[in-house]
Amino acid sequence: MNILFLLIPVSLIIMGIAIWVFLWAIRSGQFEDLEGPAHRILMDDDDPRIPRKPQLKDDDE
Amino acid sequence: MSKGSGKADCFHCGLPVPPGSDYSVEIDGKAQPMCCRGCQAVARAIVEGGLSDFYRYRTEKSPQARDLVPEQLDEMALFDRDDLQKSFVRQQPGDRREASLILEGIVCAACVWLNERHVKSLPGVLDFSVNYSTHRARVSWDNTRIHLSEILEAISAIGYHAHPFDPGRQEQVYKRERTRALRRLAVAGLGMMQVMMLAVALYAGEAEGMDAGLRNFLRWVSLLLTLPVVLYSARPFFASAWRDLKRRRPGMDVPVTLAISAAFLASAWATVTGKGDIYFDSVTMFTFFLLAGRFLEMGARHRAGQAAEELVKLLPATAARLEEGGERRVPVADLAVGDRVLVRPGESVPADGRVVDGQSSVDESLLTGESRPCRRQPGDLLVGGTVNIESPLVVEIEKVGEETVLSAIVRLLDRAQTEKPSVARVADRIAGWFVGALLVLATGVAWWWWQHDPAHAFAITLSVLVVTCPCALSLATPAAVTAATGALTRLGVLTTRGHALETLAHASHMIFDKTGTLTEGRLSVAGIELLSSLDREQCLLLAASLEQASEHPISHALCREAETVNEAGSLLATPGEGIEGIVGGRRYRIGTAAFVSKLLSTTTGQPLPGGVVLGDENSLLAHFTFTDPLRDKAREALDGLRRLGLEIELLSGDEEQAVQHIAGQLGIHRAQARCRPEDKLARIRDLQAQGAVVAMVGDGVNDAPVLAAAQVSIAMGGGTQLAHASADMVLLSEQLPHLVNAVRTSRRTLTVIRQNLGWALVYNVIAVPLAAGGQIAPWMAAIGMSASSLVVVLNALRLRQG
C-alpha cells in the first residue's frame, strides 16, 4: 500500500495539469462558440492537395 | 412573352427565375440559372475565388443577393474615417487594427467557411474568424495594405452583408462573467472527482480496516484538494451571503455558505486532530452542483440580455444629408436638429423629423404594431427607425439622440425591467428563517451538551449542522425549475428567466397582441369580387403584373396569390393611392377606388368599395380584400387556456374593425383596438392594481415595454429580438397550443416545488430533534442529508416527462 504515498501525489500533479489545460482552453476562447468547430471540421480546407473534381470528370468523359 | 415559362429556381438563392431573364453562371462545369444580376455577380465572385465548393457543402440556399449601389459603397468608405472607427475599432501596435462585425445572411456552416476562406485570402487581412453561434466575426487587418471598406465590400461581393459592431461594455461584462464562472466550475468539477475517489477509499478502509498513517494521508490529501474548491469556486456564495447579512436579509446563499464553511471547517479540524469524520466529498459535490445550476441560469440570462442591443440596429449608421453642394453621407451621430436628410425607399429614417418634400408610405410596424404601411406627406412626422417604402422623402430633423421615440422606448423598457415584480422569493425567505432558527438551535444544542457531556458536544453540534444542511431546501426550487425548463424547451417553449414558471403558474390574465401573435402577421388575399366579365385568374394576373415591382405588403399578398406575372410597361406609383401601368397594350390602375375611378371615361353610379380595386379605362374589374390569417389552432389554444381558468384579453395597435373581427372569431370578449404602447402599459398596470397576475404574449418592438411590465411575458419565436430580450419565455415553436402546455407544466412545477419544500421541512423536523438528542452520528447525518437531497432531485425529475 505504500505505493499510494507516491501515486496520490502523482495524481495531484496530473490534476493540476488538467486544471491548467482547462483554464488555458477557457482563456483562449474555446468555449465561446460551441457549434462552429463541429461543422468546420467537415470542410475541406486542403483542397489544392486533392485532385480537383472537374478534372476527374474530364477524364471520365 | 405572356406566360411565365421559367420553372427553374435560382441556383444561388432558390427563388424562381423570372420569365424572360437570362442570367447564368458556370459552376463546376455546368451552367446554373440565376434569378437576378445580384445573384449572378455573387455566384461569379464565388467561382472566381475558387470557392465553388461552397455550393457542395451548404445545406440551405443563400439569401437573395443585392447589387451594391454607389451610395452603399460611399457608406462603406465612410467606415474608413478614423473618427467613426474610434467607437468600434481597436488600434494595435503598428498599423494592425481589429474590429467586430455583424454578418447578415449566415444560414449554414458552409456560409461561415465561404466567408472565412474568401476574406482571409485578401492581401492585408491578418485574421478573420466567424462565430457560428452569434453570427459575429472578428477581423484584424493591416491598415497600410487594406481598408475596412474593402473588406466590407469583399464580403458583399459574395452575397453577405457585414456591418461594424460595437461590442459595448455590457457584452464585455458578460464575457468576463462567463469565463470566470467556467473557471470556477472547472476547478470545482475536477476537485470533486478527486475527492470522491479518495472518499471511496476511506469508506472502504473504514469497513475493511486501514492503516492509520495511510488514512491520515488520504484525509490530508482530501483537505488539500478541497481547499481550492472552497477558497476559489465557492467564493461567489460567500460574497453574496456576506452582502445578504449586511442587508440583514438572509437569502439562500447564507445557508449554502454556512453548510460549506461549517462542514469544511469541521472536516479540516478533524483532519488536523486526526479525530472525527470528514465531509470533504459533500462539500465539493455541493459546490459543484450549485455552480453548475447557476452557470446554466446565467447562460439563459445572457442570451436574453444580448438581444437588447439589437434595437439600436434599427437606426442606420449613416444618413444622406442635403447640403449646399448636394448630398453627403454623414454618420448619424453627426446629425443636428434642422438638418435635412434624404431617405430613399428601403432605407430607415435616421432620427425623428418632419417630411418637407415628397410623398411615400412608411412601415412603422416595428414601433406601432400597425401592419399596414402609413402614408406620409409634407408636414407629417416621421419616427426614427421606421422604414421608407415607396419613394424618396426629404426629412427635416427635429429630434436626435436621447430625445427620439426609439430612445424613449428603450428607456421605458429599462424602467419596466427594473420594476419587474419578483414572486420567486418564497423559498429564499423560508431559507432565511430556517437559517436563523438553525443558528439559534445549534448554539442552544452546543451550550446544553457542553454543560452535560463536553466530550460529545462538538460531534453532536456538527451532526445538527450537517443533518439540517439546507441542501434539500436550496435544491427544492432550482431542481424543479431546471427539470421543467428542460421539458418545455423540448416542446419549443424557451424559459429565459428563473421566475417565469412560478409566475406563469399564478397567472390570472393572459393578454395577447394581435398582429404576429394570434395572427401570422402577413397579409393575404381574403376575397376577390369580380366586377366585370374577366375571371378570377385573369384579374389576379393583371393585379400581380401591376404590383410586381412594389414592396408594399398588399403587393406581396397579390403576387403570392397569383401564380405568374406578365410584363408591365410604364408603371407609375402614386403613394398611398395606387399604381398605373400598361399590360398587354391596355392601361390599368390598381389601388383605392377613388384613384382607379379617375381613369374611367364614364363615372359609374355605384358606391365605391374599400380595399383595393382593379380597373381599366372602361370599367372596374375586380375588388380585392385582405386579411391577416389567424394562426393554426389559435381557437383551441385559447379554449384550453380558458379551461385552465385564465381570463383572455386582446390589446392591439390595429384598427377597430380588424381587431373586432379577430376577437369575434376567437370568442374574446375584452378586445381593445388602436392601443399605443402606453395604452397597453396602462391597461396592464390597471389589472395589476386590481391584484391580477398578468401574462403577456406579444411580438413587436412596441410590445417590449409591455412585455417587461407584465409579471410574466411570452414572446413569439418569430418576433423581434427586442421582444425576446424583455420576455421571460419565448414561444420558439410559434404553436399557440404549447402555451396551454406551458401553463400546465408551470402549475405542476409549483406543485413539485411545494412537495419538495414540504419534504425538506418534514425531514428536518424529524432529523433535527434526533440529532440534537445525540441519536445521530455525523456519518448518519451525512447519509440523511444526501438522501434528502436525492429525494428532492428525483421528485423534480418527474417533471422531465413534459
Side-chain angles (χ1 to χ4, degrees), chain A residues 4-5 8-9 11-12 15 19 22-23 26 31-36 39-40 42-45 47 57, chain B residues 53 57 109-110 112-113 116-117 130-133 175 178-179 182-183 186 190 194 214 217-218 221 225:
Chain A
L4 282 178
F5 289 100
I8 287 174
S11 81
L12 282 187
M15 195 192 86
I19 289 186
F22 208 94
L23 294 185
I26 294 170
F31 290 91
E32 275 167 35
D33 181 8
L34 297 174
E35 286 166 73
H39 292 284
R40 203 161 287 167
L42 298 173
M43 305 287 170
D44 292 330
D45 272 347
D47 257 358
K57 254 186 206 160
Chain B
D53 275 351
Y57 289 127
V112 173
W113 174 84
E116 287 188 350
R117 286 293 299 267
V130 181
N131 186 323
Y132 183 66
S133 319
K175 201 176 152 191
R178 197 183 133 84
T179 323
L182 253 176
R183 262 191 252 138
L190 287 167
Q194 294 290 315
L214 187 59
F217 176 69
L218 290 185
V221 174
L225 285 164

Side-chain angles (χ1 to χ4, degrees), chain B residues 580 587-589 595-601 615-617:
Chain B
E580 183 181 314
R587 184 172 295 273
Y588 294 94
R589 273 188 179 190
F595 172 72
V596 176
S597 57
K598 275 185 215 144
L599 187 69
L600 299 177
S601 39
D616 63 9
E617 280 158 357

Side-chain angles (χ1 to χ4, degrees), chain B residues 657-679:
Chain B
Q657 201 194 342
V659 172
Q660 288 306 333
H661 178 67
I662 295 286
Q665 271 180 293
L666 294 172
I668 301 175
H669 302 302
R670 282 207 60 122
Q672 212 172 315
R674 308 188 63 101
C675 289
R676 290 168 301 156
E678 300 92 283
D679 301 332

Side-chain angles (χ1 to χ4, degrees), chain A:
Chain A
M1 279 303 190
N2 280 342
I3 190 68
L4 282 178
F5 289 100
L6 176 68
L7 283 182
I8 287 174
V10 169
S11 81
L12 282 187
I13 293 169
I14 293 175
M15 195 192 86
I17 295 172
I19 289 186
W20 181 78
V21 168
F22 208 94
L23 294 185
W24 167 82
I26 294 170
R27 211 174 31 246
S28 61
Q30 306 222 4
F31 290 91
E32 275 167 35
D33 181 8
L34 297 174
E35 286 166 73
H39 292 284
R40 203 161 287 167
I41 196 166
L42 298 173
M43 305 287 170
D44 292 330
D45 272 347
D46 46 1
D47 257 358
R49 272 177 268 147
I50 299 171
R52 299 282 302 164
K53 260 204 161 174
Q55 285 172 4
L56 282 177
K57 254 186 206 160
D58 288 346
D59 292 345
D60 290 345
E61 279 163 10

Side-chain angles (χ1 to χ4, degrees), chain B residues 500-535:
Chain B
L501 282 168
E502 262 185 275
T503 321
L504 187 63
H506 289 299
S508 58
H509 287 65
M510 193 170 272
I511 298 186
F512 287 88
D513 172 50
K514 184 182 76 71
T515 313
T517 304
L518 290 176
T519 66
E520 285 174 4
R522 59 183 189 130
L523 290 178
S524 67
V525 176
I528 304 172
E529 189 190 344
L530 300 174
L531 305 170
S532 73
S533 57
L534 284 181
D535 67 16

